[in-house]
Amino acid sequence: MVDREGKVTQLAPFNLIAWHAGQSSYKGRRGVNGFGIGIEMVGPGQMTSSKPGFARAWFGEDFPIDKYDIRRMRTPAHGDGWWMPFTEPQVRMTIALCKALVAAYHLKDITTHWAISPKRKVDPNPLFPLELCRELALGKAAGPMGLA
């Protein structure tokens, strides 16, 4: 888990199934929990409109749109919603973590919850620099991201 300050907390050892993905598949292979490593990035997730100037998280907290640079976006994978950008320390650490995991475990791809569990999960949000992360961790020849 990478918090908004960029601190990493390992929630489960890599040799145990953490059940982070739920029902999922990757390139036709079901049960991503059994062979994938999940990285959670702390944030409020998809938010909805609230009182003027605020967006509301699923847990009921209202966030000031201007203070957090919250943006409304619509994508096929995410639907329509309000999204809080990840912090610079969070993005830098997530990229560094992906690079380290690719090197240590010879990983061939980096994908997302929304790709392995479409219509059920929407993380990371559309403001995460996914292609930059994939390129820096996997190299320029990363190829297309693996989908369900």
Side-chain angles (χ1 to χ4, degrees), residues 1-3 6-18 20 36-42 93 97 100-101 104-105:
M1 176 183 69
V2 182
D3 72 16
K7 180 183 172 211
V8 175
T9 302
Q10 186 170 351
L11 301 176
F14 293 134
N15 65 334
L16 296 179
I17 295 175
H20 65 282
I37 298 171
I39 300 173
E40 180 67 32
M41 292 179 283
V42 174
M93 183 53 72
L97 185 55
L101 291 170
Y105 293 98

Side-chain angles (χ1 to χ4, degrees), residues 43-65 68 70-71 80-84:
Q46 187 173 22
M47 295 183 282
T48 58
S49 294
S50 182
K51 57 190 172 190
F54 287 82
R56 178 165 291 161
W58 62 270
F59 49 86
E61 186 173 345
D62 288 336
F63 291 90
I65 290 171
Y68 291 99
I70 295 169
R71 301 174 209 164
D80 185 18
W82 291 86
W83 304 96
M84 184 182 291

Side-chain angles (χ1 to χ4, degrees), residues 86-137:
F86 295 99
T87 66
E88 282 301 315
Q90 194 173 29
V91 170
R92 277 195 312 271
M93 183 53 72
T94 300
I95 290 171
L97 185 55
C98 286
K99 289 166 94 174
L101 291 170
V102 165
Y105 293 98
H106 310 289
L107 304 177
K108 304 292 184 221
D109 202 358
I110 294 169
T111 192
T112 64
H113 273 148
W114 58 259
I116 63 169
S117 192
K119 308 269 189 244
R120 202 172 64 76
K121 295 200 176 220
V122 294
D123 56 313
N125 80 42
L127 301 176
F128 181 73
L130 179 60
E131 290 310 316
L132 175 64
C133 177
R134 294 182 78 249
E135 183 178 314
L136 292 174

